[in-house]
Amino acid sequence: MTTRSRYNKHTAHLYTVMGAGGYAGPVSQSHRINVWPLLDRVLERWDTSGGRLSAAPEHYSDWTKKRDASAADTVSRACRDTIQWMACWCGDRYGADPLGLHYVAFATILDDICIPPLDLVSGRFRMYGRSVPDLARAMDAAGWGHDAVHALLSLIRQSIAQYAEKMDFRPGDAHVGLHDELKNSPSMWDGVIFRGNTGNAYGTAITVARNSGTGPVSFPWLMDSALCDCLSMDLCKSMLGIYSVDNHQPTSNGHRTEKRKASYRSIYLDLIDDLVFTGAPEPLVHFGRSGFLFVQIQDRYQERRHGERFPLAPPMARELRRLFGEEPTNEWLDSVFASGEEKPAQELVWSHRRAG
């Protein structure tokens, strides 16, 4: 039987992370904003500008804030992060399902590099010799069935949201963008769901359930654990100061009142209780809580704090070779990668309707 989290709505007021008011629930879990028109507006702005805005990001530019000198650095570390996450989620079964690892690695790289969605789905973008179409065929051959459909559609949704997020980012600009629109929603649920979509924790939850052998699970269990995974990560990153260097800060002050910040955090407390009290399998409940663990011990977040990469330890280098392969990138990706150390973002000369 899965036990209730010790950090819950009755103990949260004891911790600074919740603010002075503590738990602010129950918080509405309903939408007030349709995000798709917001995404359309992002694309329309780039078409109208013709890519002339000076802060426009390049395709294949480095978004890690760790001064990667090459695409191989970024790809190999994304796969390292994947192995470390899977060890946090599934223990010594972290390498039991290579397809799940490869899936999470594709979800991770979308956060780290500005990749056009059409390049992802067409197979132009590859890591360690694999493409998303390769992954889809392998999942089909391995009998993933509906799990593959849900996971792959979630990955595509993530790629669109991540791309729009990067295209809409203009530091120091007064323009009201995608994140500001979501922050201003009357319902915190809109921002939480978008946060979950950009991180693709839903698709990742499917890999955790499969790797852990939970058997059939419900959509609410997958979705609640996915959102809790993102929210627990946000809470931990905020308290450790890691969000201070991020472009988008879900739990930072920004335009939010203390009440709205508490509502954002309280959604985690509602969802984690829902998982336990409805009988969700322990691996999914653990996945939901895991942000309180992996943020503190994974290289990814410590590198973010320091703004530089750590060397790959020999045991990790061996695991990367065993689970992913020898060559992180190909000649094409090496040639188009835009290192943060080499040059600033250049002007765009394309339309989203021609991208890819």
Side-chain angles (χ1 to χ4, degrees):
M1 179 178 177
T2 303
T3 59
R4 190 187 189 197
S5 300
R6 273 55 171 179
Y7 174 73
N8 57 56
K9 61 186 68 174
H10 297 114
T11 62
H13 67 286
L14 303 175
Y15 301 94
T16 304
V17 67
M18 281 304 299
Y23 173 67
V27 180
S28 171
Q29 297 178 17
S30 60
H31 288 289
R32 299 292 293 276
I33 287 181
N34 182 354
V35 74
W36 293 107
L38 299 183
L39 296 176
D40 282 341
R41 254 183 271 165
V42 172
L43 298 176
E44 288 170 5
R45 281 197 292 271
W46 289 114
D47 274 351
T48 301
S49 73
R52 291 185 296 274
L53 297 174
S54 60
E58 279 185 275
H59 287 177
Y60 294 98
S61 55
D62 173 20
W63 280 68
T64 65
K65 295 185 179 293
K66 297 161 189 173
R67 302 194 295 274
D68 285 346
S70 69
D73 289 340
T74 308
V75 169
S76 63
R77 290 339 192 264
C79 294
R80 173 209 61 190
D81 298 340
T82 297
I83 293 172
Q84 291 182 342
W85 270 315
M86 198 62 78
C88 284
W89 298 327
C90 301
D92 57 6
R93 289 185 55 81
Y94 66 89
D97 182 9
L99 287 180
L101 279 172
H102 300 158
Y103 175 86
V104 176
F106 276 111
T108 303
I109 202 65
L110 291 172
D111 193 45
D112 294 348
I113 298 176
C114 183
I115 302 173
L118 290 179
D119 282 10
L120 189 77
V121 299
S122 71
R124 187 180 193 186
F125 174 79
R126 307 177 74 86
M127 295 193 300
Y128 284 96
R130 300 178 190 88
S131 67
V132 167
D134 292 335
L135 181 64
R137 286 188 288 270
M139 286 177 165
D140 186 47
W144 275 54
H146 288 298
D147 286 350
V149 175
H150 279 255
L152 291 166
L153 287 176
S154 185
L155 183 67
I156 293 169
R157 177 177 59 192
Q158 179 200 11
S159 73
I160 294 169
Q162 281 276 355
Y163 187 67
E165 189 177 67
K166 291 175 173 61
M167 290 295 113
D168 196 47
F169 180 67
R170 285 153 61 178
D173 200 305
H175 118 100
V176 177
L178 179 61
H179 275 261
D180 287 318
E181 293 269 13
L182 290 168
K183 287 177 183 177
N184 291 332
S185 169
S187 172
M188 294 303 300
W189 191 246
D190 291 309
V192 167
I193 292 295
F194 189 77
R195 176 74 184 89
N197 289 341
T198 61
N200 191 14
Y202 174 73
T204 301
I206 293 172
T207 71
V208 170
R210 291 183 62 88
N211 200 8
S212 303
T214 62
V217 293
S218 68
F219 174 79
W221 284 346
L222 288 170
M223 197 65 184
D224 284 1
S225 66
L227 294 175
C228 284
D229 177 77
C230 287
L231 291 167
S232 62
M233 175 179 64
D234 288 350
L235 289 168
C236 198
K237 287 176 71 176
S238 295
M239 285 306 295
L240 294 178
I242 297 171
Y243 262 130
S244 63
V245 296
D246 281 7
N247 294 328
H248 307 293
Q249 303 174 14
T251 57
S252 66
N253 49 11
H255 303 296
R256 289 188 178 155
T257 64
E258 288 300 319
K259 181 178 179 180
R260 287 175 67 80
K261 286 189 285 184
S263 294
Y264 184 91
R265 297 157 183 164
S266 295
I267 289 174
Y268 167 81
L269 300 172
D270 286 333
L271 294 179
I272 202 72
D273 266 0
D274 287 348
L275 283 168
V276 174
F277 294 149
T278 59
E282 189 279 337
L284 286 181
V285 180
H286 172 72
F287 177 63
R289 299 168 176 158
S290 64
F292 291 118
L293 171 64
F294 63 70
V295 171
Q296 299 179 77
I297 66 174
Q298 278 194 230
D299 293 355
R300 180 181 182 89
Y301 305 102
Q302 301 313 312
E303 288 176 339
R304 182 68 62 86
R305 292 180 70 184
H306 292 280
E308 61 183 0
R309 291 295 190 186
F310 299 162
L312 288 173
M316 177 55 73
R318 289 195 295 271
E319 288 299 274
L320 282 171
R321 289 192 294 271
R322 180 175 75 89
L323 295 168
F324 286 94
E326 294 288 342
E327 298 296 332
T329 58
N330 55 24
E331 186 176 348
W332 175 81
L333 182 56
D334 291 337
S335 68
V336 298
F337 180 74
S339 169
E341 282 199 314
E342 293 175 356
K343 51 189 175 181
Q346 295 177 347
E347 292 186 355
L348 298 175
V349 291
W350 50 273
S351 160
H352 78 276
R353 296 182 178 87
R354 300 191 299 273

